[in-house]
Amino acid sequence: LEGIEEPLLPHQIIGEHLGVSLVYDLPEVTMSIPQGTLDTWGVNFYEAMEVAKQNLARKVDTAFASPGRGLYVSVNEDCYDATRIVLLDLIRRLDVDGDYIAMVPHRDRLIVTGSDDEDGLRVMVAMAEEEFQKTRSISRLAFRLNGDEWEPWLPDAAHPLYQKLAMFRTQTIGENYA
């Protein structure tokens, strides 16, 4: 492979520690879409991403189950559950207390609750911790929806889940660094 340049894979950063890129989903494999392919198609990344979001939104059979009031868990298990964090219209239809807080612990799991819902946050953290043990885990960070952007989130230091979420953050940063 010496002398072969790796293809540029365009992507969008989500909440500092997450990124989304484009893939072509074939029956047996998914294939990353490099910039050269987008150039051949005559579209830029953002145009292609809009089409990808529309395709993803159409793929939703039963987007979320609600194991408790104000807590929503993706249930498609189609390898794109975590990616649904980019479907802001879908997220905003969920009834939560406070700001939207999401975790994407695994590619088959997106968990959403509200920043003011202590029970929802406690269940979200417990579910996420279980998901971290599986292969294909993604992130231990919690994210808050601020306008149209996700940002890493921690409750204030007096919150009962602060220590646990701060530990998750440290573990994620350490894993990314390693």
Side-chain angles (χ1 to χ4, degrees):
L1 295 176
E2 283 184 33
I4 296 176
E5 195 172 310
E6 287 189 40
L8 173 64
L9 295 176
H11 62 280
Q12 177 182 351
I13 300 298
I14 300 171
E16 287 182 33
H17 296 272
L18 296 177
V20 64
S21 63
L22 298 164
V23 299
Y24 192 65
D25 195 1
L26 301 166
E28 300 297 322
V29 69
T30 57
M31 205 170 62
S32 294
I33 299 176
Q35 184 61 50
T37 301
L38 294 178
D39 295 341
T40 301
W41 292 347
V43 297
N44 66 38
F45 172 79
Y46 296 101
E47 292 167 327
M49 183 55 72
E50 284 307 311
V51 172
K53 285 179 186 179
Q54 291 168 12
N55 290 341
L56 186 59
R58 277 196 297 272
K59 249 178 107 63
V60 175
D61 295 322
T62 51
F64 291 97
S66 184
R69 190 188 87 60
L71 177 69
Y72 302 90
V73 181
S74 60
V75 293
N76 290 286
E77 295 188 352
D78 59 0
C79 301
Y80 294 107
D81 283 317
T83 307
R84 289 184 174 88
I85 196 170
V86 301
L87 300 178
L88 299 183
D89 291 340
L90 177 67
I91 300 292
R92 288 187 177 116
R93 286 195 296 252
L94 305 176
D95 184 25
V96 301
D97 293 333
D99 295 333
Y100 292 97
I101 304 299
M103 291 185 80
V104 288
H106 184 270
R107 71 179 185 176
D108 281 332
R109 194 64 66 228
L110 168 61
I111 309 166
V112 180
T113 193
S115 59
D116 297 337
D117 185 346
E118 193 172 315
D119 290 334
L121 289 168
R122 188 177 358 274
V123 173
M124 178 176 75
V125 165
M127 291 178 79
E129 194 164 28
E130 222 174 88
E131 294 288 334
F132 300 150
Q133 307 311 312
K134 298 179 181 178
T135 59
R136 310 263 187 191
S137 66
I138 295 178
S139 175
R140 287 176 165 82
L141 294 177
F143 296 90
R144 180 177 74 94
L145 185 60
N146 182 9
D148 287 342
E149 304 292 327
W150 290 101
E151 58 187 24
W153 176 81
L154 283 173
D156 73 39
H159 193 281
L161 292 169
Y162 175 82
Q163 290 296 324
K164 183 71 122 176
L165 286 166
M167 181 185 70
F168 286 172
R169 179 180 177 82
T170 302
Q171 290 170 334
T172 296
I173 291 169
E175 288 169 0
N176 289 344
Y177 180 77

